[in-house]
Amino acid sequence: MHAIMLKAKLHRAEVTHAVLDYEGSCAIDGEWLDLSGIREYEQIQIYNVDNGERFTTYAIRGEEGSKIISVNGAAAHKAKVGDRLIICAYAHYSEAELANFKPRVLYMAPGNELSHTSNAIPVQVA
């Protein structure tokens, strides 16, 4: 049996660029790709916290240390500079892999400063 699980998440990353006349994709600071385990050209889901848009694209490597989050191509209609995004990657895992499975989460502070990382999502309280 296999399960599709959250592999990695950038929580509340801020859009720095929205470029309509680009081939497509979402450029993400290369350091964040490495920290999160998201690979270049990997499919990602993007959830716009500010306008509720949800869309699928793929990650491309942005300049390391640039703090870039550039939503490109048609997706640029779904996010504008300053919008806060949740960027997620999912993967298939076997039952054996799930025994010790934990996602990699990067929490972003204002200005796209990396606040902290975690391997767990906080428990939601009632």
Side-chain angles (χ1 to χ4, degrees), residues 106-118:
L106 278 59
Y107 290 91
M108 311 308 293
N112 276 352
E113 294 295 330
L114 180 61
S115 169
H116 63 286
T117 64
S118 178

Side-chain angles (χ1 to χ4, degrees), residues 30-110:
E31 291 178 4
W32 297 339
L33 289 180
D34 295 342
L35 277 172
S36 68
I38 297 172
R39 295 174 176 262
E40 188 169 22
Y41 311 118
E42 183 172 358
Q43 180 176 301
I44 53 176
Q45 300 287 321
I46 298 180
Y47 314 120
N48 189 323
V49 174
D50 292 307
N51 67 20
E53 291 282 357
R54 299 167 75 89
F55 53 97
T56 303
T57 188
Y58 60 93
I60 61 172
R61 190 171 199 86
E63 180 182 357
E64 280 79 2
S66 65
K67 302 179 186 176
I68 190 171
I69 297 290
S70 184
V71 179
N72 301 320
H77 288 288
K78 298 184 175 288
K80 67 181 186 318
V81 172
D83 281 357
R84 293 164 298 150
L85 307 178
I86 298 170
I87 301 171
C88 296
Y90 298 88
H92 292 266
Y93 295 91
S94 69
E95 284 298 317
E97 291 171 310
L98 290 174
N100 296 309
F101 171 79
K102 298 283 185 201
R104 186 72 175 153
V105 183
L106 278 59
Y107 290 91
M108 311 308 293

Side-chain angles (χ1 to χ4, degrees), residues 6-42:
L6 176 66
K7 170 188 164 182
K9 176 170 95 163
L10 278 69
H11 188 74
R12 294 193 174 225
E14 189 175 306
V15 176
T16 60
H17 301 76
V19 185
L20 186 59
D21 294 322
Y22 192 83
E23 288 185 31
S25 68
C26 179
I28 300 171
D29 183 316
E31 291 178 4
W32 297 339
L33 289 180
D34 295 342
L35 277 172
S36 68
I38 297 172
R39 295 174 176 262
E40 188 169 22
Y41 311 118
E42 183 172 358

